[in-house]
Amino acid sequence: MTIDKTYQPSEVEGRIYRTWEQAGAFRAGRPERAGAKPYSIVIPPPNVTGSLHMGHALNNTLQDILCRFERMRGKDVLWQPGTDHAGIATQMVVERQLMERQEKGRREMGREAFLKRVWEWKADSGGTIVNQLKRLGASCDWSRERFTMDEGLSRAVLKVFLELHRAGLIYKDKRLVNWDPKLLTAISDLEVIQVETKGHLWHLRYPIEGKSFNPDDRSTFIVVATTRPETMLGDAAVAVHPDDERYKILVGKNAILPLVGRKIPIIADEYSDPEKGSGAVKITPAHDFNDFEVGKRHNLLQINIFTVEAKLQLKDNADFVAGIPNSADLDATLAMNGTDRFAARKAILARLEEKGLVEKIEPQSHVVPHGDRSNVVIEPFLTDQWYVNAKELAKPAIAAVRAGKTKFIPKNWEKTYFDWMENIQPWCISRQLWWGHQIPAWYGLDNKVFVALTEAEAQTDADKHYGKKTKLTRDEDVLDTWFSSALWPFSTLGWPDNTPELKRYYPTSALVTGFDIIFFWVARMMMMGLHFMKEIPFHDVYIHALVRDASGAKMSKSKGNVIDPLALIDEYGADALRFTLAAMAAQGRDIKLSTQRVEGYRNFATKLWNAARFAEMNGCASVANFDPKSAKETLNRWIAHETAKAATEITEAIEAYRFNDAAAAVYRFVWNIYCDWYLELAKPLLTGADGAAKGETQAMVAWGRDEILKLLQPFMPFITEELWTVTGKHDALLALDKWPQLAGLSDDKAEAEIGWVIDLVTAIRSVRAEMNITAAIPLVLAGASAETKARAERWGEFIKRLARVSDISSAATPPQGSVQLVVRGETAALPLKGVIDVAAERARLGKEMQKADADIGRVDAKLNNPNFMARAAEEVVEEEKQKREEAVARKAKIAEALERLKGAT
């Protein structure tokens, strides 16, 4: 089969992927690997509503590199795929669809009918991201694809809930949650975005009990500062710092809550910051997370003043009116019942102003939590919810990481894990949605709760409890999406059944994920895995960084800087995108992605394709059972040595999750060593007369090409599989072939000779470029050893052609007026007298050095300026650091060039 002139990814990638699928190349448990060591990874399940974004592309590229690498190393690989039911996101998508089609809304049609529509939507549109992952080249075992609400996983979820409830680790409690007043549900911290907002800090005067309020007499009131004056109606105390001398005399007394008349204690608590605001802070336990904790410490009332829609709920609110005497102020406040929170803010402030209770108003920028899907301000809201005792479950999960059973890569993420886990709060697992795993709890008429796997079991328990048949009502809430995701490593393998897959692939080998879900997902999988499986869920956790735009800014739709991975695949091919992401995935460093980088690696693919075509045109075909150790030619022994060296570097880098180092090693070997040097140096042999040397070189060129295809397969699977197919007959698909095992090919003698030629030519080229020399120049080997002279004799024609050298000679010392190069310990001189004006060149380089120093100084002035560092955007700081790196590198090259000129006079 002849290789096409150009590589067209769009014509190849779909066909190659179908070939893999038809061959079952990615299936775990292949018969021939029954005795092989298992290797397993669970995919972070993307939302069923999702479409491939750059974070998915990076995450799944890295997982795929690991899986393809280990599969080629002979392991029985399971890359477990699946999608998440994405409670809020999916419910919103379907509700929006109903609205667009002008059909009945969710509440009008009822729960059963609505859920039926969601399942219909999932069947029609829920597989989009799976097909997009296939376009990326993801080698998952799609025959085992799971969904967090499929029958098996639903059974696992119910069993976990039941067992944790029986153990007292799941319970119902009234606590503060992030409440979305538009979606009418509790949401997780991950679904809250902090929005920088220009607001105000209001300083309000609260009268002291027993004193007649006088705005001119500070002993009659205490000033509290707040950004949310509407919540004052729920205040239960005023807190001051125990060491704040200004307020010590007031601690233990009461303030009278304006507009309400409630007596609230003035308490001492370290939460109050004397340096912030007035130093006194209003405490509203039912509407602020910090205040909630203060309230628990001081046994304060929890007064919820809002409805679920964040409107004032004052009438018929026993907690609000408890112990408050009737007054005109109270009546006016009660008349605000049903007012939206922001309208209430304006009305409250107007009344306070009228009474002289606003001391001052300061403009203040602060972050305000918003729902990431509803875009409305989130309320801390006191409500009954289901909780997991995460503190108890966290203990073995902390111990497992401390003992090194599970390792974080990079290691610094362990600190983040420990910080979160050691300060963990109860995990709110209930959501006020319809789409999700409905909580398996039923209530009797007295609200007694019965938790069971089925309604029949709950009914039996209730009848036994009450001694008669009793009507039960099921809890309408569903479980947090992260609850089912926490079971992913073992539920996807068949748990609670003791399946063969569970025995073989659990614990999994590695997890690849982003830092933002270490707590929400990784930690919870650790907790659940250790509790139910009595074993860690994964040995290694690789945390990758963010993909940013070319300037280092975080991608966002509002900035208009989002790069679509599918568009890049359409234009440059999946391999180019994959290689770009791998090459830039340095541990702990965010990726600055530009289309130019992707285009550059598309050119790399073209270079590989052209090298294969060159080999084909020169009769280089794979030779069955060819042994590279049999090579006699120095050049061929050298490329065998370099191939083995590259294979070791790439293998060690992938094993250590140094994806960028692995990509750099294979790139350097393919482009520089194999294409630029080996094929160039092999041309005379390939185009010469037939004979043993030519035949050996043809076989070695083909062997090197095949090893390259193997080494590149994890990174660029499509082009390598295509070339594997068209360049020869092979026993297996490249995806299932053996990873290079190249022991015994090290050849220091061959490397010393060919390496010397390459280093010499490279050094001469560098001088020519630095000094802008276009004419051919002589080369003098000064004081050269006999071995070096012999090498120069053997490779003289190559050196002349590749370095544009007019003549090669030897001398005891370097000629006067020459630039001296030290190549592998020996001196090579380039006589430049009459070729360049050495003094002028030295002056030019001196000016370039001054410019580089000035550039470094200018950047340092900015980076050492606290004002600049505080105010500059993150991407601007990164850009300045990059400028400095470039200037330092430029300065080093100039210094090297000046050093070379020292001998030229």
Side-chain angles (χ1 to χ4, degrees), residues 567-869:
L568 293 178
I569 290 173
D570 288 339
E571 187 166 359
Y572 303 110
D575 287 330
L577 174 60
R578 289 168 60 106
F579 200 89
T580 304
L581 294 170
M584 300 180 78
Q587 289 183 10
R589 190 184 308 161
D590 287 347
I591 292 173
K592 294 180 186 176
L593 185 68
S594 68
T595 54
Q596 289 80 4
R597 291 295 296 261
V598 184
E599 185 178 8
Y601 289 120
R602 192 270 312 272
N603 296 341
F604 176 53
T606 300
K607 180 97 169 176
L608 174 66
W609 190 264
N610 290 340
R613 288 188 70 239
F614 172 85
E616 181 184 66
M617 289 186 287
N618 284 279
C620 306
S622 302
V623 176
N625 301 316
F626 175 73
D627 184 2
K629 292 176 187 171
S630 67
K632 301 291 189 293
E633 294 293 320
T634 302
L635 179 63
N636 293 330
R637 288 188 288 111
W638 169 75
I639 196 60
H641 166 93
E642 290 293 338
T643 305
K645 179 183 170 187
T648 299
E649 288 177 2
I650 296 160
T651 300
E652 290 177 351
I654 296 176
E655 287 176 336
Y657 301 95
R658 290 184 287 105
F659 297 99
N660 61 314
D661 290 340
V666 72
Y667 181 93
R668 185 170 56 248
F669 174 66
V670 174
W671 191 297
N672 296 9
I673 302 296
Y674 184 81
C675 294
D676 284 356
W677 290 111
Y678 177 59
L679 295 184
E680 189 65 37
L681 295 172
K683 280 178 181 176
L685 287 167
L686 294 173
T687 56
D690 289 347
K694 180 176 182 177
E696 176 188 290
T697 303
Q698 287 172 321
M700 186 61 85
V701 167
W703 174 83
R705 175 204 62 209
D706 288 349
E707 296 307 296
I708 282 170
L709 297 181
K710 294 174 188 176
L711 293 171
L712 258 179
Q713 218 282 325
F715 303 90
M716 306 179 90
F718 291 107
I719 189 172
T720 53
E721 192 74 70
E722 177 72 356
L723 285 173
W724 184 257
T725 303
V726 299
T727 56
K729 293 180 179 178
H730 300 284
D731 295 333
L733 289 167
L734 179 58
L736 293 172
D737 209 84
K738 293 180 180 176
W739 185 253
Q741 300 285 334
L742 304 178
L745 292 179
S746 181
D747 193 320
D748 293 339
K749 188 176 179 183
E751 194 285 324
E753 178 149 328
I754 305 301
W756 176 81
V757 174
I758 291 171
D759 289 354
L760 178 63
V761 170
T762 301
I764 295 171
R765 284 175 171 175
S766 180
V767 169
R768 295 180 69 93
E770 286 166 7
M771 301 183 183
N772 198 24
I773 300 169
T774 55
I777 50 177
L779 168 66
V780 177
L781 302 176
S785 64
E787 187 177 26
T788 296
K789 290 178 182 177
R791 287 174 185 161
E793 182 70 28
R794 286 192 292 273
W795 298 95
E797 291 307 312
F798 286 99
I799 295 167
K800 288 178 184 178
R801 177 165 58 87
L802 297 175
R804 293 205 64 208
V805 167
S806 57
D807 177 66
I808 302 175
S809 60
S810 297
T813 58
Q816 203 171 19
S818 63
V819 168
Q820 297 175 34
L821 310 171
V822 177
V823 179
R824 300 210 170 191
E826 299 207 31
T827 302
L830 301 174
L832 296 181
K833 197 170 183 179
V835 178
I836 64 165
D837 184 331
V838 174
E841 180 63 18
R842 191 177 285 119
R844 183 187 72 80
L845 289 171
K847 286 180 181 178
E848 288 294 322
M849 179 67 84
Q850 289 174 0
K851 186 175 182 301
D853 282 333
D855 289 344
I856 293 168
R858 192 160 42 248
V859 174
D860 283 347
K862 287 183 179 180
L863 297 181
N864 293 327
N865 183 338
N867 288 334
F868 172 81
M869 295 301 288

Side-chain angles (χ1 to χ4, degrees), residues 41 69 144 151 161 171 190 244 301 334 355 388 456 477 682:
I41 288 183
F69 170 67
R144 294 187 49 82
E151 187 180 347
F161 188 97
Y171 57 94
L190 194 63
D244 195 330
L301 294 172
L334 289 171
K355 293 176 178 294
V388 171
D477 291 354

Side-chain angles (χ1 to χ4, degrees), residues 203-209 213 218-226 228-229 231-238 250 254-259 262 264 266 281-284 348 352 356-358:
H203 293 249
L204 309 178
R205 295 163 174 156
Y206 282 20
I208 303 296
E209 183 188 20
F213 171 69
R218 302 193 71 82
S219 70
T220 65
F221 59 87
I222 185 169
V223 176
V224 299
T226 180
R228 301 174 68 218
T231 63
M232 65 170 288
L233 303 181
D235 283 1
V238 171
L250 293 178
N254 292 327
I256 303 299
L257 184 62
L259 311 186
R262 180 185 304 124
I264 56 175
I266 299 171
V281 60
K282 58 193 278 308
I283 301 298
T284 319
I348 287 168
L352 291 171
L357 294 170
V358 178

